[in-house]
């Protein structure tokens, strides 16, 4: 559950649209046989959403025998290796970018570049194409994504007379006021490490820019580089102020939520999925609001994290034709509108022709990603960096947040890891 | 009618098959066969496999010969310089030493409970309870106990003006915190071993010792404890093995953190091979081999003591 968002990523960096070579989308042949679908959407709402969507697909193809298996989201991450080799379904959920690389390289995912060449997909899904491309080929389709940003307690901001900050100085000034009122600025639960990865993503992208951040994740820049140190220096300003809640290393991200809900902390750098939890806990939309992470280096183009969840066809699937049809169905504008609306997933649709639900956060998020993120759309840290580097680095981030004086040692370790991994 | 008597011309020995002739020798092997087969397939073979995989750089996906590359002892060389491996090794040592506290603690409780009062069975069951519940539950209970600011431990420390203390969030304390949690069920286990052992203590020897004026600790040390030797041996074996297998509690309570300070070898193996970001089967196998060699030292010692015992008996 904690990695609901550890999903994959949407690289909005638009890649060349491969128009032409249109294979007509509408296959009139009746689909028959079995279609086995494995899902990791085990939480109640996503599960229901998916099951309803599959039911609609079944209606269109009554001769198809669809068999759906829902696996616990955490367990899925380890089971996928087994079922992809031993007992592959026809369709499986997963995450984009580097997260799918091991399976692509082991030849376990089907190359579906042909689907991406079809105009319906090529034109409407261009924004996420990069995140699903490895070695110039596409290996899956996205079905949802969501923004990251600073979710804060609007009522506390009003009480203290604060406004949404846009610069680093304002951010820190706000934080000082919040601290003086006896609260913490940010809640975070770093027990499972990735939340610290989110902070690093934003601080590094704002300090050094998107291109630098991606180069670092790709192992092209030393962790001991002065620019990296600058990112940590900025981070340290907040840590030294006491901006983060104490003992965050003992909490999961959900366990850190009550601090914000009770008003002991005022903001949370998180993915949009946190909103549902805040509302459930009783916060109204008047009490929560959202702002884009502030500018740090003036003039630098802003870039955002926006993870994407995906569908793939295992290379050993038996009914690949039906599987392809199912993928076309999932990414269609109509289905995208339905499954991502507030009653279902409550996230952003990947199809450019679908509409976004009337929701304060979804609208702001979409606005931010489409017009206020000129630097690029990053994948989340553990998507951009290879698995091994991500685990070493995020452990380092957590250590830094607890014992900032260890920075030099941490960076040496990360640099040693970089040299052996890439 | 008379039947003519046919004389027996020669002595014909009873014909017995090869199996019948060797039945006594074969029978034990036949009974052992299923066990041996399972042992070979599920224990010996995986050990050999681990050795083999540890010589490869392989991410666990696809065929090892296609996807993996043979790297010789490279994984072991890398291990030697791996800080996390070193941390895990030290933590394993802490577990081994401190976990042994379960034996005297178990003995103490067993002695305490070895009396006849009303309801003693209930008290015994209550003390045994932590061993019956799942390690996961033990982990969760202690996690709540240690919870910073809301936990029972912090509240108690607060009463005497100490704290706050975040045991599981402190890299220097977290491992000890988990070991304490592990000692809870392990002590119960040792206790039950000693309780059964105490039933077998010869009352005549105790009587004789008493006549000779032995009591208190002298009685315990010279008369009771020697008779509890088999129980102590078993308690020692299960505690050592329990310490080396510690995994559930770490996974539940800290997930190896904060920043990897509570890892032990078995957890590190899992992290490197089967966890979310673990794609280093070869490396993990090398760690598993090292863990196996450490266990082998103890196993060899146990087997040797049992063999000696057998001889003496």
């Amino acid at each position: 559950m904690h990695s609901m968002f550890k999903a994959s990523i949407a690289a909005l960096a638009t890649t060349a649209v491969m128009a032409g070579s249109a294979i007509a989308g509408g296959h009139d042949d009746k689909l028959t046989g079995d279609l086995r679908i494995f899902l990791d959407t085990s939480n109640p709402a996503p599960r229901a959403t998916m099951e309803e969507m599959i039911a609609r697909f079944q209606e269109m193809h009554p001769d198809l025998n669809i068999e759906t298996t829902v696996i616990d989201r955490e367990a899925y991450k380890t089971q996928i290796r087994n079922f992809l080799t031993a007992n592959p379904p026809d369709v499986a959920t997963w995450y984009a970018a580097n997260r799918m690389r091991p399976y692509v390289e082991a030849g376990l995912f089907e190359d579906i570049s042909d689907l991406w060449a079809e105009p319906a997909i090529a034109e409407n899904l261009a924004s996420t194409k990069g995140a699903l491309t490895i070695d110039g080929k596409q290996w899956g389709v996205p079905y949802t994504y969501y923004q990251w940003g600073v979710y804060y307690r609007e009522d506390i901001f009003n009480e203290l007379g604060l406004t949404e900050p846009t610069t680093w100085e304002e951010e820190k000034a706000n934080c000082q006021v919040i601290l003086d009122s006896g609260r913490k600025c940010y809640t975070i639960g770093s027990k499972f490490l990735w939340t610290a990865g989110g902070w690093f993503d934003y601080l590094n992208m704002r300090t050094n820019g998107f291109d630098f951040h991606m180069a670092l994740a790709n192992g092209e820049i030393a962790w001991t580089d002065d620019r990296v140190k600058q990112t940590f220096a900025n981070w340290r300003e907040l840590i030294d102020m006491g901006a983060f809640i104490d003992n965050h290393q003992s909490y999961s991200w959900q366990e850190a939520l009550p601090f914000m809900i009770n008003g002991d902390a005022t903001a949370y750098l998180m993915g949009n999925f946190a909103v549902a939890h805040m509302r459930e806990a009783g916060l109204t939309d008047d009490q929560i609001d959202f702002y884009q992470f502030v500018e740090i280096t003036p003039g630098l183009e802003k870039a955002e994290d926006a993870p994407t969840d995906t569908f793939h066809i295992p290379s050993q699937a038996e009914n690949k034709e039906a599987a392809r049809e199912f993928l076309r169905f999932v990414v269609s504008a109509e289905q995208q509108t339905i499954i991502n609306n507030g009653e279902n997933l409550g996230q952003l649709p990947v199809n450019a022709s679908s509409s976004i639900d009337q929701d304060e956060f979804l609208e702001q998020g979409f606005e931010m990603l489409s017009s206020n993120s000129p630097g690029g759309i990053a994948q989340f840290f553990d998507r951009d960096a290879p698995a091994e580097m991500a685990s070493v680095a995020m452990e380092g981030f957590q250590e830094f947040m607890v014992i900032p004086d260890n920075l030099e040692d941490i960076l040496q370790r990360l640099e040693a890891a970089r040299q052996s991994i890439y | 009618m008379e039947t003519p008597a046919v004389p027996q011309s020669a002595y014909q020995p009873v014909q017995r098959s090869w199996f019948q002739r060797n039945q006594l020798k074969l029978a034990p092997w036949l009974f052992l066969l299923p066990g041996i087969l399972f042992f070979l397939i599920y224990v010996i073979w995986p050990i050999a496999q681990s050795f083999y995989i540890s010589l490869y750089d392989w991410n666990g996906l696809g065929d090892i010969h296609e996807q993996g590359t043979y790297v010789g002892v490279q994984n072991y060389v890398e291990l030697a310089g791996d800080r996390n491996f070193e941390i895990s090794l030290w933590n394993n040592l802490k577990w081994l030493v401190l976990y042994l506290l379960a034996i005297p603690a178990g003995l103490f409780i067993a002695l305490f409970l070895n009396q006849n009062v009303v309801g003693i069975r209930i008290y015994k069951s209550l003390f045994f309870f932590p061993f019956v519940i799942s390690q996961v539950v033990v982990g969760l209970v202690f996690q709540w106990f240690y919870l910073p600011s809301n936990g029972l431990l912090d509240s108690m420390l607060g009463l005497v003006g100490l704290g706050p203390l975040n045991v599981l969030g402190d890299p220097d304390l977290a491992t000890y915190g988990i070991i304490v949690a592990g000692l809870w069920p392990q002590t119960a286990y040792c206790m039950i071993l000693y309780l059964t052992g105490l039933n077998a203590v010869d009352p005549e020897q105790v009587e004789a010792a008493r006549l000779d004026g032995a009591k208190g600790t002298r009685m315990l040390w010279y008369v009771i404890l020697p008779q509890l030797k088999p129980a102590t041996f078993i308690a020692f074996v299960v505690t050592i093995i329990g310490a080396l297998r510690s995994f559930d509690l770490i996974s539940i309570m800290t997930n190896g953190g904060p920043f990897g300070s509570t890892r032990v070898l078995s957890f590190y193996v899992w992290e490197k091979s089967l966890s979310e970001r673990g794609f280093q089967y070869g490396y993990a196998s090398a760690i598993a081999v090292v863990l196996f060699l450490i266990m082998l030292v103890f196993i060899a010692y146990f087997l040797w003591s049992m063999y000696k015992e057998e001889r003496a008996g």
Side-chain angles (χ1 to χ4, degrees):
Chain A
M1 169 95 191
H2 69 271
S3 44
M4 201 172 202
F5 63 73
K6 265 170 162 186
S8 38
I9 306 338
L12 272 178
T14 317
T15 15
V17 177
M18 292 167 63
S21 74
I23 304 160
H27 289 261
D28 291 332
D29 308 335
K30 275 196 176 161
L31 294 175
T32 53
D34 296 332
L35 178 67
R36 294 171 65 228
I37 303 173
F38 278 18
L39 301 173
D40 68 345
T41 49
S42 56
N43 291 330
R47 179 183 184 136
T49 303
M50 286 296 166
E51 282 171 350
E52 283 162 24
M53 182 181 72
I54 290 167
R56 289 193 294 274
F57 185 68
Q58 176 79 77
E59 253 171 55
M60 294 167 62
H61 304 281
D63 296 336
L64 198 61
N65 177 28
I66 303 181
E67 194 187 306
T68 309
T69 309
V70 182
I71 298 168
D72 173 74
R73 203 170 171 95
E74 288 307 308
Y76 192 95
K77 290 171 186 164
T78 49
Q79 286 182 19
I80 185 170
R81 324 170 181 219
N82 297 335
F83 69 66
L84 282 184
T85 43
N87 181 24
D90 299 300
V91 174
T93 53
W94 192 234
Y95 315 107
N98 260 330
R99 203 68 197 274
M100 65 179 185
R101 183 176 288 275
Y103 306 104
V104 169
E105 284 177 351
L108 295 170
F109 279 158
E110 169 95 348
D111 172 8
I112 56 162
S113 304
D114 53 322
L115 271 185
W116 282 86
E118 296 172 9
I121 290 181
E123 284 157 23
N124 288 317
L125 265 63
S127 60
T128 48
K129 189 173 184 176
L132 286 143
T133 303
I134 288 178
D135 298 335
K137 294 172 191 155
Q138 287 76 47
W139 306 92
V141 293
Y143 66 88
T144 188
Y145 74 114
Y146 47 87
Q147 81 272 17
W148 268 62
V150 182
Y151 293 85
Y152 69 98
R153 284 287 298 269
E154 201 175 356
D155 50 343
I156 298 177
F157 265 50
N158 290 338
E159 179 195 321
L160 300 174
L162 302 175
T163 51
E164 291 186 3
T166 54
T167 66
W168 188 234
E169 293 312 318
E170 285 171 26
E171 180 80 35
K172 285 184 289 181
N174 273 0
C175 182
Q176 195 54 56
V177 175
I178 294 165
L179 288 171
D180 292 343
S181 76
R183 300 176 177 96
K184 291 290 188 181
C185 305
Y186 314 105
T187 185
I188 180 174
S190 63
K191 181 174 177 185
F192 294 99
L193 309 178
W194 55 262
T195 44
W199 271 94
F200 178 78
D201 273 356
Y202 274 100
L203 286 160
N204 196 39
M205 286 192 292
R206 292 291 186 271
T207 307
N208 297 309
F210 178 79
D211 296 335
F212 178 89
H213 184 67
M214 295 314 262
L216 183 67
N218 288 325
E220 292 153 21
I221 290 167
W223 281 90
T224 44
D225 191 289
D226 281 341
R227 291 168 291 180
V228 178
K229 286 181 182 161
Q230 184 55 46
T231 298
F232 282 99
N234 290 337
W235 198 345
R236 180 150 193 176
E237 285 187 67
L238 294 181
I239 295 169
D240 286 348
M241 284 171 82
F244 298 98
I245 59 165
D246 298 326
N247 299 319
H248 54 80
Q249 71 271 32
S250 301
Y251 306 121
S252 67
W253 81 266
Q254 293 101 325
E255 286 166 340
L257 265 172
F259 291 93
M260 176 156 168
I261 289 156
N262 300 334
D264 298 325
T266 48
Y268 206 169
L269 178 68
M270 242 317 130
N272 194 57
F273 53 83
V275 172
H277 292 261
M278 293 175 192
R279 284 178 179 153
E280 236 165 71
L283 293 182
T284 64
D285 282 11
D286 295 335
Q287 287 175 294
I288 32 179
D289 204 348
F290 165 86
Y291 65 84
Q292 188 173 14
F293 200 94
V294 298
E295 178 179 85
I296 294 179
T297 302
L300 205 60
E301 286 188 329
K302 282 184 180 170
E304 293 294 322
D305 269 346
T308 313
D309 290 3
T310 54
F311 270 114
H312 303 265
I313 304 176
S315 52
Q316 294 170 48
E318 276 162 18
N319 197 348
K320 289 180 182 170
E321 198 194 331
R324 279 187 160 76
E325 192 55 36
F326 181 72
L327 261 45
R328 284 188 197 102
F329 173 80
V330 170
V331 298
S332 67
E334 186 196 352
Q335 297 306 323
Q336 278 297 305
T337 306
I338 300 174
I339 66 169
N340 284 299
N341 72 21
E343 280 143 40
N344 289 313
L345 296 176
Q347 294 177 8
L348 296 168
V350 294
N351 189 310
S353 309
S354 45
S355 47
I356 291 140
D357 203 35
Q358 301 272 314
D359 174 284
E360 180 186 351
F361 299 99
L362 290 183
E363 281 166 350
Q364 283 192 68
F366 184 74
E367 167 76 17
M368 176 179 82
L369 291 177
S370 48
S371 56
N372 223 348
S373 178
I377 301 284
Q379 317 171 6
F380 198 74
F381 186 80
D382 67 350
R383 287 314 87 74
D384 292 318
E388 208 184 330
M389 188 71 230
S391 68
V392 179
M394 296 197 303
E395 201 166 278
F397 300 157
Q398 189 201 34
E399 181 170 352
F400 171 73
M401 286 189 75
V402 179
I403 313 173
D405 287 340
N406 286 1
L407 180 63
E408 206 47 49
D409 183 41
I410 295 168
L411 291 180
Q412 294 295 343
R413 237 180 294 152
L414 297 197
E415 178 56 16
R418 180 184 78 95
Q419 286 177 3
S420 78
I421 290 167
Y422 294 96
Chain B
M1 284 285 284
E2 290 256 318
T3 320
V6 180
Q8 207 170 344
S9 56
Y11 168 72
Q12 288 241 312
V14 189
Q15 277 297 322
R16 293 194 308 165
S17 68
W18 180 84
F19 175 77
Q20 282 168 323
R21 271 178 281 131
N22 295 288
Q23 209 173 8
L24 273 182
K25 275 186 223 155
L26 281 176
W29 289 105
L30 277 177
F31 282 113
L32 281 174
L33 192 65
I36 290 178
L37 271 182
F38 277 90
F39 190 71
L40 283 178
I41 296 172
Y42 293 111
V43 179
I44 301 297
W45 178 241
I47 291 174
Q49 252 183 338
S50 295
F51 272 102
Y52 183 69
I53 296 174
S54 73
L55 302 177
Y56 280 80
D57 179 14
W58 181 47
N59 68 2
L61 296 169
D63 188 87
I64 186 168
H65 299 112
E66 283 165 28
Q67 299 286 333
T69 34
Y70 178 82
V71 292
V73 295
Q74 185 56 39
N75 283 327
Y76 294 92
V77 174
E78 219 173 290
L79 263 188
D82 182 347
R83 216 171 91 138
N84 290 330
F85 175 71
E86 200 183 309
I87 293 173
S88 311
L89 212 55
W90 277 112
N91 281 340
N92 258 128
L93 196 69
K94 287 180 197 165
W95 272 88
L96 274 175
V97 174
L98 293 176
Y99 223 44
L100 291 176
L101 288 176
I103 299 175
L107 174 66
F108 178 80
I109 297 174
L111 290 170
F112 175 66
L113 289 178
N114 192 37
Q115 47 184 307
N116 282 317
V117 292
V118 182
I120 189 68
R121 274 161 190 270
I122 293 177
Y123 304 134
K124 282 182 186 172
S125 316
L126 284 177
F127 274 96
F128 189 54
F129 177 67
F131 184 70
V132 181
I133 57 178
S134 153
Q135 292 260 304
V136 174
V137 177
V138 172
L140 283 175
V141 167
F142 268 84
Q143 202 190 339
W144 293 329
F145 175 71
Y146 288 137
L147 212 59
S149 68
N150 304 320
L152 197 56
L153 179 69
D154 239 22
S155 310
M156 291 193 308
L157 286 175
L159 285 181
V160 291
L162 293 170
L165 188 65
N166 181 7
V167 177
L168 297 180
D170 184 331
D172 299 324
L173 291 179
T175 290
Y176 299 109
I178 303 173
I179 295 174
V180 169
L183 279 174
W184 190 41
Q186 193 63 30
T187 302
Y189 194 9
C190 294
M191 174 204 81
I192 213 80
L193 290 172
Y194 277 121
L195 274 178
T196 14
L198 284 170
N199 278 337
V201 167
D202 183 0
E204 282 177 22
Q205 289 191 29
V206 178
E207 200 61 27
R210 215 166 255 157
L211 286 176
D212 286 345
K215 50 185 163 183
T217 45
R218 284 173 67 88
M219 170 79 108
L220 177 66
W221 189 254
Y222 292 105
V223 181
I224 307 290
L225 272 189
Q227 295 191 62
L228 287 176
K229 204 178 155 214
T232 308
F233 180 70
I234 297 292
F236 186 65
V237 173
V238 296
T239 306
I240 291 288
I241 291 174
L244 287 170
R245 291 194 337 175
S246 51
F247 176 88
D248 335 32
L249 288 173
I250 297 168
S251 171
I252 288 294
M253 293 174 74
T254 60
N255 199 34
F259 24 98
S261 59
T262 54
R263 282 192 185 104
V264 293
L265 290 176
S266 56
F267 189 83
Y268 199 33
V269 170
W270 173 81
E271 236 187 339
K272 284 285 179 195
S273 58
L274 294 167
S275 75
E276 225 181 309
R277 291 182 203 85
F279 284 99
Q280 296 168 273
Y281 265 60
Y283 195 64
S285 298
I287 306 168
V289 167
V290 173
L291 180 59
F292 170 71
L293 293 178
I294 295 172
M295 283 191 165
L296 205 59
V297 173
F298 290 100
I299 293 169
Y301 167 74
F302 295 147
L303 289 178
W304 177 70
S305 342
M306 277 197 277
Y307 176 74
K308 235 179 33 177
E309 199 88 331
E310 204 98 307
R311 271 295 159 94

